Each structure stands twice: as structure tokens, then as C-alpha cells.
Amino acid sequence: MMRFGSLRSALTVLFALAVCAGCGSSDSSKVSASNYVKSVCSAISPLEKDVVTRSSALNNTTAANATEAKKTLQGFLTAVEQDSTQALSKIQSAGTPDISNGKVVAGTIVKAFTELRDAMKLALNKSHSLPTGSPAAFKTAAQALGASVRGSLNNIDSSGLSNPDLEKAAASQTACKSLSNG
């Protein structure tokens, strides 16, 4: 029997990035900071909830063999990649917050979520080459994939994601309060 704990750390980083972002878009249409954060948090919240649920299910799954484990892992990665693509699309359509440097802030958030989506796509593509000849070989390769995903997520530049105007607006939005760490 095989357990799927190797991606938990990578997903924790994913959550931290999503929560840290709090809000984002690069569309040229100006919207209030409040409407902007509501749209973005509403885009992030389903991604976060789905990843938490799927991660828990994945970590509690056992597989009879490496082939079954690979299929389960690929199903997980496919779902997370699709969720991140949907979140990115919603973030891109949130508009530009009517704050100082709103276009730059929105662009930074879109860039971070684009990198997140791309990291998930890359992980899914790499998962196709995981060996299934033995449980030990699969486990070693899956752990290496998990480390690669963590590295990709850690390299996402989140330095421009914090903005006092958006943080203030997010504090009063229910959609933002539901995210981990508020």
C-alpha cells in the first residue's frame, strides 16, 4: 500500500501564495478596491477549498500498486491545474482596482497566479513519466516531483502582492475572510 503525503508541503505553499495574494487583475477597467478584492477572493476561495479537500483525500488514499498510485496522483494534479486555470481566468477579469498603482498591483497578482497555474501544468506533465515498475521507484520519483513542485512554487515572486488599500478592503469582505489566515 502506498500513501500520498509527498505533495502536502507543496500545497501548503500554494495556499500561502493564494492567501497572501488576497486580490488581483490586470484588466484596464477600474473597479473599487472593495469590488476588486471581492472578485479576486471569490476566485481564490474555491481553488483553496478544492485543493484542501483533494489534498486530504490524496493523503488518505492507499493504492494497491504504483500504477494505481500514479493514476490517483495524476487525477489530483489535473484537478488542481484546472482549478488554478479557472481561478486565474476570474482574477484576470476582476478589473483594475481604483487605487494608487492599481494596474501594477493587478498585473503582479495575475503574474503570480499565472506562475502558479504553469507550475501545476508542469507537475502534471512530469507526472506522466513517473515509473510504475516498483512501489519504491514510484515513491522516489513522486517525492522528487513533489520537491520540484515545492521549488517551483517557492520561486513564484510574491513580493508585490501585499497592498494596504487592498488589505483594508479585504478585511470587510466575507469572501476574503473565508480564506485561510483571513
Side-chain angles (χ1 to χ4, degrees), residues 102-139:
K103 189 171 185 171
V104 172
V105 170
T108 300
I109 294 167
V110 168
K111 182 178 183 273
F113 277 87
T114 299
E115 291 172 355
L116 169 64
R117 182 215 46 212
D118 293 349
M120 292 299 97
K121 282 185 178 185
L122 181 60
L124 178 59
N125 287 337
K126 286 182 176 181
S127 75
H128 295 292
S129 65
L130 292 172
T132 57
S134 78
F138 174 81
K139 181 178 178 181

Side-chain angles (χ1 to χ4, degrees), residues 25-28 30 96-97 99-109:
S25 169
S26 64
D27 189 295
S28 61
K30 294 258 184 176
T96 300
I99 59 171
S100 178
N101 294 318
K103 189 171 185 171
V104 172
V105 170
T108 300
I109 294 167

Side-chain angles (χ1 to χ4, degrees), residues 9-23:
S9 296
L11 295 171
T12 300
V13 173
L14 183 150
F15 300 139
L17 176 65
V19 171
C20 177
C23 316

